[in-house]
């Protein structure tokens, strides 16, 4: 079953960005953090502050590839009862006011495995999800995701500095939606970027990949985002934003913090 | 998957690390390259006569292999059924089967030119075994251990420090073995160039379930030869405790194609499977994806891994090695729960009848061996893997029984 009658929102958004010569801005937030009751308001605030696509983290108890900031955000959300059903509900609610901004669910395989792949695919498409980025599901294990792709969801693949040449070629060939380049070998939220190295690698990947290339892991602020913007189709910014949102008590505060964080990044990308 | 009686169980895993529907490589992209490098190196070394000879020398002269099989006559008589034989892995250097694997992986690390060893540990036995081999080879060693486990395994924490290892407390999640494994993976992702990750059980992404099994399979190879030599026959039934399942697969593997030998794994049923406070992934879990492989896991309907309980830290794990998941579905092995109380009762019985203090983990296997012995006639044989000694657990047992030490 597919409820989509138009082009996938991710593809549409990247075409629009390309046409206008802008660099995409992709904020990541952990769904339900800092507060489940403000999850949808937060998504709208991100869009108002200039987000081109939203990565919504599905909390998982064992986030092996995440640093302490996103680990703790996941723990907080799980403690408040956030699961796949809640996340899909928020996307559906978000869609009532926003029909265009693509939403990618980011997380780990087990919640979807347990939910059932076919059931998840139907519910996610119905809610208005556009793609999934499953950190622990590399290309070689992707056969299980066939029901998702059959229903029109994009599988966002990752490439890393350690990715060998032959694998990189396969990833570039299989890329859809966008290819997420992990800018350094590590977990989310750590480390500093060596911009020249990333620039060289990303340029090479962009020339070959069948989808736009977004760069993430270690982008913390307007300055580091701007450094990446020169050679990437989009910039992903996660841990620093999640850290900023932690502890925001009211909806007004969640919205204000999100916008105060994201607007300078948007401005820096546009001022290039 | 249904297996026929002529299937060769020794052909698994396939080249992608799959045991039927289980196993595989479910990790972040950053780890794909180091895992490929490790797989390439290990598949080459396991066929390398020079490597095999070096490993054999270490197992003989450093670990103290072969370990005996011992007929626990007074225990058997007390139980009043079949003969119970114990494979004495508790007599190995460092006091458990864990050293078989760490000696092997350390040699792989050395030949790959890695200078830093990391490991995760639950009960501390694997941490001690890793710290031991790192000290011997002059490698830096960092051991990740859940804060809860550090509290209940103080002796082993101190042993690791004496051996020169740094023990890093893990305070995320449930603060136990699974979280220690997450943290070790994060360390590895960040330091892949110089670091070798010694996983302590037959879980994790390929090639770990294969490699850790290979290094522990000496247990079953020896036991099978010892049985034929000393008893002129194979045992009727094998049993071993199963947390991640390395000592169990170590004993079972050589016997997998001996269809007449029954195989029973003893999982930690904690306070009883019905109580929800247990760690019986195979007996009470469902297929899922955890720590880089598809296997049976304990999780809720949202796919969140649930906190486990066992009196023994080494069995307190919500997943299990994928080969065990495969053997369960194939019907080649059965996996049953043994409660905390049953394990403690077996601990005391073995101590009083045989003068052996077993590890709490291994006491689960002893409890299962006692149950199995009652099913067979006096000339039957139950072979039980006594995977480790109980010195490390003396404080836990004393505290549980209200004794001040």
């Amino acid at each position: 079953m597919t409820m989509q009658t138009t082009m996938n929102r991710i593809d549409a958004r990247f075409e629009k960005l390309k046409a206008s010569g802008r660099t995409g801005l992709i904020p990541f937030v952990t769904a339900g953090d800092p507060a489940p009751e403000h999850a949808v308001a937060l998504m709208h605030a991100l869009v108002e502050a200039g987000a081109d696509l939203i990565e919504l983290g599905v909390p998982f108890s064992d986030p092996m590839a995440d640093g302490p900031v996103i680990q703790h955000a996941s723990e907080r959300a799980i403690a408040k009862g956030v699961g796949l059903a809640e996340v899909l509900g928020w996307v559906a609610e978000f869609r009532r006011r926003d029909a265009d901004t693509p939403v990618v669910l980011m997380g780990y395989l087990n919640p979807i495995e347990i939910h059932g792949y076919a059931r998840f695919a139907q519910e996610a498409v119905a809610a208005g999800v556009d793609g999934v980025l499953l950190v622990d599901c590399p290309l070689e294990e992707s056969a299980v995701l066939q029901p998702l792709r059959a229903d029109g969801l994009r599988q966002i693949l990752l490439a890393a500095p350690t990715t060998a040449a032959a694998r990189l070629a396969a990833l570039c060939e299989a890329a859809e939606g966008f290819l997420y380049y992990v800018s350094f070998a590590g977990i989310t939220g750590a480390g500093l970027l060596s911009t020249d190295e990333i620039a060289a690698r990303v340029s090479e990947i962009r020339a070959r990949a069948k989808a736009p290339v977004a760069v993430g892991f270690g982008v913390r602020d307007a300055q580091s985002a701007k450094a990446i913007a020169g050679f990437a189709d989009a910039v992903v910014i996660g841990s620093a934003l999640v850290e900023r949102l932690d502890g925001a008590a009211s909806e007004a505060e969640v919205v204000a913090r999100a916008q105060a964080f994201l607007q300078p990044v948007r401005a820096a990308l546009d001022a290039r | 998957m249904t297996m026929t009686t002529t299937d060769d169980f020794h052909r698994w895993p396939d080249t992608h690390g799959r045991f039927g529907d289980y196993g595989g490589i479910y990790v972040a992209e950053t780890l794909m390259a180091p895992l490929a490098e490790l797989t390439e190196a290990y598949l080459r070394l396991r066929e390398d006569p020079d490597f095999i000879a070096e490993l054999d020398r270490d197992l003989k002269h450093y670990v103290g292999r072969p370990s005996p099989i011992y007929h626990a006559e007074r225990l058997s008589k007390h139980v009043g059924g079949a003969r119970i034989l114990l494979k004495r892995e508790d007599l190995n250097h460092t006091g458990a089967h864990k050293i078989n694997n760490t000696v092997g992986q350390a040699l792989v690390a050395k030949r790959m030119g890695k200078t830093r060893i990391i490991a995760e540990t639950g009960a501390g036995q694997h941490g001690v075994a890793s710290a031991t081999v790192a000290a011997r080879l002059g490698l830096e060693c960092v051991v990740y251990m859940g804060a809860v486990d550090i509290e209940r395994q103080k002796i082993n924490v101190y042993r690791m420090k004496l051996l020169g290892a740094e023990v890093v407390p893990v305070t995320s999640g449930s603060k136990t073995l699974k979280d220690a494994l997450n943290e070790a993976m994060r360390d590895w992702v960040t330091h892949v160039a110089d670091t070798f990750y010694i996983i302590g059980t037959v879980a994790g992404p390929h090639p770990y379930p294969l490699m850790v099994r290979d290094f522990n399979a000496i247990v079953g190879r020896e036991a099978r030869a010892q049985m034929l030599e000393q008893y002129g026959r194979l045992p009727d039934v094998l049993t071993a405790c199963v947390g991640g399942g390395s000592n169990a697969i170590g004993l079972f593997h050589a016997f997998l194609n001996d269809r007449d030998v029954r195989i029973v794994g003893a999982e930690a049923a904690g306070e009883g499977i019905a109580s929800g406070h247990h760690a019986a992934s195979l007996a009470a879990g469902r297929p899922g994806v955890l720590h880089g492989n598809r296997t049976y896991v304990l999780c809720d309907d949202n796919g969140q891994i649930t906190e486990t309980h066992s009196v023994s830290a080494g069995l307190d794990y919500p997943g299990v090695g994928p080969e065990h998941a495969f053997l369960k579905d194939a019907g080649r092995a059965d996996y049953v729960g043994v409660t905390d109380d049953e394990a403690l009762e077996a601990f005391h019985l073995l101590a009083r009848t045989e003068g052996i203090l077993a590890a709490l983990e291994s006491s689960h296997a002893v409890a299962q061996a006692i149950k199995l012995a009652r099913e067979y006639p006096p000339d039957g044989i139950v072979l039980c893997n006594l995977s480790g000694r109980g010195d490390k657990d003396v404080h836990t047992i004393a505290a549980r029984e209200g004794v001040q030490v």
Side-chain angles (χ1 to χ4, degrees), chain B residues 66-335:
Chain B
S67 70
I69 49 174
Y70 166 71
H71 180 197
E73 278 191 79
R74 290 194 69 232
L75 173 67
S76 305
K77 196 175 167 199
H78 180 93
V79 172
R83 289 170 281 178
I84 297 172
L85 306 188
L86 303 174
K87 178 63 173 164
R88 297 292 307 275
E89 290 299 296
D90 61 317
L91 297 178
N92 293 337
H93 178 43
T94 73
H97 72 289
K98 295 287 185 187
I99 191 83
N100 301 322
N101 170 47
T102 58
V103 160
Q105 288 199 49
L107 290 183
V108 176
K110 192 177 83 171
R111 290 186 180 229
M112 289 178 74
K114 305 290 182 182
T115 56
R116 179 173 175 267
I117 294 291
I118 58 169
E120 85 294 336
T121 196
Q125 290 301 95
H126 173 61
V128 168
S130 297
T132 298
V133 296
R136 178 163 173 258
L137 296 177
L139 304 171
E140 182 189 349
C141 182
V142 176
V143 179
Y144 290 93
M145 189 167 183
V148 168
D149 292 337
I150 285 180
E151 189 52 38
R152 55 183 172 179
Q153 298 289 342
K154 287 177 190 159
I155 301 283
N156 270 346
V157 173
Y158 188 56
R159 286 170 80 195
M160 287 183 262
K161 289 179 180 167
L162 289 174
L163 291 161
E166 180 191 351
V167 180
V168 179
V170 176
T171 55
S172 57
S174 58
K175 306 178 180 62
T176 59
L177 177 57
K178 78 175 178 75
D179 309 286
L181 209 152
N182 291 332
E183 207 54 42
M185 278 284 180
R186 292 179 189 118
D187 179 313
W188 198 33
V189 170
T190 315
H191 304 102
V192 287
D194 67 341
T195 297
F196 189 99
Y197 179 16
I198 301 187
I199 293 187
T201 192
V202 284
H206 180 62
Y208 284 100
L210 164 71
M211 182 167 63
V212 178
R213 179 200 73 196
D214 284 354
F215 289 140
N216 274 303
I218 181 114
V219 176
R221 281 202 306 277
E222 276 178 13
R224 195 173 182 282
Q226 288 165 326
M227 285 300 307
L228 293 172
E229 188 188 314
Q230 296 169 35
Y231 294 85
R233 55 167 287 199
L234 296 179
D236 294 289
V237 55
L238 308 174
T239 192
C241 62
V242 179
S246 66
N247 89 82
I249 209 72
L251 176 66
F252 299 167
H253 192 257
F255 295 90
L256 290 178
N257 288 334
D258 298 315
R259 299 309 172 101
D260 294 338
V261 178
R262 185 179 160 202
I263 298 177
V264 181
E267 291 191 296
E271 293 165 14
I273 285 178
S275 73
H277 299 138
H278 62 82
S281 315
L282 288 163
R286 48 183 153 181
V289 176
L290 178 67
H291 292 150
N293 66 101
R294 168 170 281 110
T295 186
Y296 277 75
V297 300
L298 292 169
C299 68
D300 65 19
D301 290 340
N302 276 327
Q304 310 298 356
I305 303 303
T306 45
E307 293 191 14
T308 51
H309 166 82
S310 170
V311 67
S312 96
L315 301 183
D316 209 347
Y317 180 64
V320 64
E323 191 164 9
H324 288 294
F326 167 72
L327 294 174
K328 172 189 161 79
D329 283 12
R332 180 63 189 98
D334 293 316
Y335 296 88

Side-chain angles (χ1 to χ4, degrees), chain A residues 59-67 71-72 75 78 81-86 109-111 113-115 117 135-138 140-141 144 158-160 162-164 167 171 182 184-187, chain B residues 16 18 23-34 171-173 178-179 181-183 185-187 189-192 286-292 294 297 299-306:
Chain A
F60 181 50
S61 52
D62 293 76
M64 226 163 60
D66 284 300
Q71 284 174 48
H72 293 143
E75 284 173 16
I78 291 168
V82 178
L84 258 186
E86 287 72 24
L109 208 48
N110 201 53
E113 166 107 8
I114 297 301
H115 199 78
Y117 292 101
V135 180
D136 56 352
C137 188
E140 288 82 348
E141 305 289 359
V144 293
L158 294 137
T162 50
T163 303
R167 261 187 75 73
L171 289 168
V182 177
F184 67 97
I187 52 179
Chain B
H16 197 71
R18 293 199 180 94
I25 308 177
Y26 294 88
V27 297
E29 179 60 29
T30 324
L31 282 175
M32 292 303 285
T171 55
S172 57
K178 78 175 178 75
D179 309 286
L181 209 152
N182 291 332
E183 207 54 42
M185 278 284 180
R186 292 179 189 118
D187 179 313
V189 170
T190 315
H191 304 102
V192 287
R286 48 183 153 181
V289 176
L290 178 67
H291 292 150
R294 168 170 281 110
V297 300
C299 68
D300 65 19
D301 290 340
N302 276 327
Q304 310 298 356
I305 303 303
T306 45

Side-chain angles (χ1 to χ4, degrees), chain A residues 217-237:
Chain A
F217 274 49
V219 184
R220 297 200 60 80
D221 49 23
Q223 197 187 354
S224 50
K226 190 176 174 180
I228 300 292
F231 48 84
D233 296 299
V235 172
V236 183
I237 190 158

